[in-house]
């Protein structure tokens, strides 16, 4: 089972520096936002970098594109933060080891961006008149799950059976939970997972050609 963490704290810091940096940035940003106001307030979140799109004025959030990234390090509450950081802590290290540090960092950011883009795109299709505000690392984290889904389906020899089953359970649970809880952005999760699946396919093809 590749998702079981046996490393000591010191070893974890040394082996997975990008994941550690991502967790640290999320925690620091949450503390800053929480100290300065209510992290559950949409207006407060917007002031501190939440992703925002409006179907009439800025349907894809391109007027302030930096929000595609800043929103990935924000969370709407402590429960939201802890759930995502636990997911990063447990499931991201094997992906960092597979992709190596720089490629993994780019992969993570691109999946988060894709999640926000998918969410904005669906809001435009649905003609939602309200401004869409989005925060959270979930899009990027689902990108990690999407990459593991690719491995589970198309590179089975790289994952043990228990790890493959874990990937399937997480994704099924994530979809069901996203439907049951209105505050969760299902399409950001879907966009991140799809991006992770496709990006890992590209990396896999490049790796195969080099052999």
């Amino acid at each position: 089972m590749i998702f079981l963490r046996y490393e000591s704290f010191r070893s974890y810091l040394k082996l997975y520096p990008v994941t550690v940096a991502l967790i640290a940035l999320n925690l620091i940003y949450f503390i800053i936002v929480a100290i300065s106001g209510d992290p559950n307030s949409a207006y407060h979140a917007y002031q501190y970098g939440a992703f925002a799109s409006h179907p009439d004025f800025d349907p894809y959030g391109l007027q302030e594109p930096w929000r595609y990234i800043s929103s990935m390090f924000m969370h709407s509450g402590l429960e939201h933060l802890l759930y995502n950081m636990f997911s990063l802590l447990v499931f991201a290290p094997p992906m960092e080891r597979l992709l190596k540090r720089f490629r993994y960092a780019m992969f993570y950011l691109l999946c988060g961006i894709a999640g926000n883009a998918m969410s904005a795109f669906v809001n435009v299709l649905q003609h939602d008149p309200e401004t869409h505000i989005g925060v959270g690392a979930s899009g990027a984290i689902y990108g990690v799950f999407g990459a593991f889904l690719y491995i589970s389906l198309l590179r089975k020899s790289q994952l043990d059976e228990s790890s493959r089953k874990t990937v399937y359970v997480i994704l099924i649970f994530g979809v069901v939970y996203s439907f049951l809880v209105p505050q969760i952005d299902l399409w950001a999760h879907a966009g991140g997972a799809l991006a992770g699946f496709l990006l890992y396919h590209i990396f896999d093809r490049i790796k195969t050609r080099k052999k």
Side-chain angles (χ1 to χ4, degrees), residues 107-170:
F107 168 87
Y108 182 90
L109 292 176
L110 288 173
C111 289
I113 291 170
N116 281 327
M118 175 69 84
S119 181
F121 177 71
V122 172
N123 282 330
V124 170
L125 291 181
Q126 293 177 340
H127 304 289
D128 189 344
E130 300 295 326
T131 297
H132 168 67
I133 302 291
V135 297
S138 301
I141 292 170
Y142 269 81
V144 173
F145 296 151
F148 280 121
L149 179 62
Y150 175 89
I151 297 171
S152 298
L153 295 175
L154 302 174
R155 293 291 182 267
K156 290 184 178 181
S157 62
Q158 296 179 18
L159 277 184
D160 59 276
E161 185 178 354
S162 296
S163 297
R164 291 198 302 271
K165 288 181 178 178
T166 300
V167 172
Y168 301 146
V169 169
I170 288 172

Side-chain angles (χ1 to χ4, degrees), residues 98-100 102-103 106-107 110 150 155 158 197-211:
L98 283 169
L99 294 179
K100 308 307 179 187
F102 177 75
R103 186 175 288 180
M106 294 303 298
F107 168 87
L110 288 173
Y150 175 89
R155 293 291 182 267
Q158 296 179 18
F197 189 97
L198 295 176
L199 282 172
Y200 196 88
H201 169 68
I202 293 171
F203 293 149
D204 188 51
R205 291 286 298 275
I206 293 173
K207 183 179 180 180
T208 302
R209 288 178 180 177
K210 287 182 178 180
K211 290 183 178 180

